[in-house]
Amino acid sequence: MTWGDEPAASGDIRRWYAEVQRASAADFAARHQGLFFLAGQPRSELDKVDFRTREARSRLEAAADVARSEQGEICVIPIEKSPRNPYKDRISIGRARNCDIVIRHPSISKLHAHIRVHEDKSYTIIDLGSHNGTSIDARQLAPNVAERLGVDSVVVLGTVVLRVLDAERLREELVRRLALSSERGSSSLELSPPSRR
């Protein structure tokens, strides 16, 4: 899955919205096992990708990047292995095109983090010493130390904000956004803070 290079994700999100409208909650959950990232699409010239990872500058500028990532259309990113990646025990995340989850954003390192899915179906994330770091729920991760990923966790890779959802929570969020969009008569959908259960 590639995110951030082009607005192709708008077609992807339309597919998710269409499925939510036609599938029952049970059918949707049965069809989509595992976890997902929900991400805002970048819209700034500052988000253009080049060869080098960009410094996350100051906290104030990083906060502006975070705010920008919460505007515009959203993208659903399944947390899963790519069939082309040879490492079966981990899901790689980074800017490089050979990662399992490709996030084409200048604050993301070429190989930023790994996610592991354990036998008990729990997930952990490991920052690989990335240039701009990784945090979960506002806690900065130490490099090469596994941290548990849970539903409704907010993960920040560089300055890209991702919400972790399971199929049930993903469907709830998509249904909520569809309702908001139709109320506003708008096609622009914004990320909202997670509701804690």
Side-chain angles (χ1 to χ4, degrees):
M1 170 70 197
T2 300
W3 173 88
D5 242 356
E6 64 281 322
S10 62
D12 180 58
I13 196 62
R14 287 186 194 108
R15 181 186 64 80
W16 285 99
Y17 285 136
E19 185 174 349
V20 160
Q21 289 175 315
R22 72 174 179 272
S24 70
D27 289 342
F28 188 87
R31 190 159 178 223
H32 300 290
Q33 303 295 310
L35 296 180
F36 302 84
F37 284 135
L38 189 65
Q41 283 287 78
R43 291 190 178 248
S44 167
E45 285 298 312
L46 295 175
D47 294 337
K48 296 258 189 238
V49 179
D50 62 14
F51 181 74
R52 293 176 318 194
T53 304
R54 287 198 197 136
E55 186 85 30
R57 300 169 315 277
S58 72
R59 289 273 183 213
L60 188 58
E61 289 168 327
D65 287 346
V66 169
R68 205 173 22 259
S69 74
E70 293 176 349
Q71 297 171 359
E73 290 192 22
I74 59 169
C75 181
V76 176
I77 304 169
I79 301 175
E80 62 187 17
K81 288 291 304 161
S82 166
R84 70 185 188 290
N85 194 311
Y87 302 104
K88 301 294 181 209
D89 65 332
R90 67 197 108 172
I91 300 167
S92 59
I93 304 172
R95 198 177 70 237
R97 295 187 188 276
N98 62 341
C99 289
D100 295 303
I101 299 173
V102 179
I103 301 178
R104 303 288 294 160
H105 190 274
S107 71
I108 302 286
S109 293
K110 288 178 215 148
L111 182 57
H112 198 98
H114 282 150
I115 292 178
R116 294 184 189 250
V117 183
H118 303 280
E119 287 182 21
D120 64 357
K121 304 293 184 206
S122 65
Y123 289 66
T124 55
I125 187 168
I126 303 163
D127 180 88
L128 299 173
S130 64
H131 187 75
N132 289 314
T134 301
S135 67
I136 300 176
D137 298 326
R139 285 179 291 115
Q140 188 70 28
L141 301 186
N144 301 307
V145 176
E147 284 282 335
R148 185 179 175 282
L149 270 183
V151 173
D152 278 333
S153 291
V154 175
V155 176
V156 180
L157 302 170
T159 59
V160 175
V161 179
L162 306 164
R163 242 175 81 205
V164 179
L165 301 174
D166 61 8
E168 177 186 356
R169 292 287 294 125
L170 175 62
R171 185 176 189 284
E172 288 172 5
E173 182 66 14
L174 293 173
V175 166
R176 185 189 71 75
R177 287 170 181 276
L178 277 171
L180 281 175
S181 179
S182 64
E183 284 174 15
R184 292 182 197 154
S186 165
S187 62
S188 176
L189 301 169
E190 302 167 359
L191 282 176
S192 66
S195 60
R196 297 288 179 192
R197 293 181 165 195

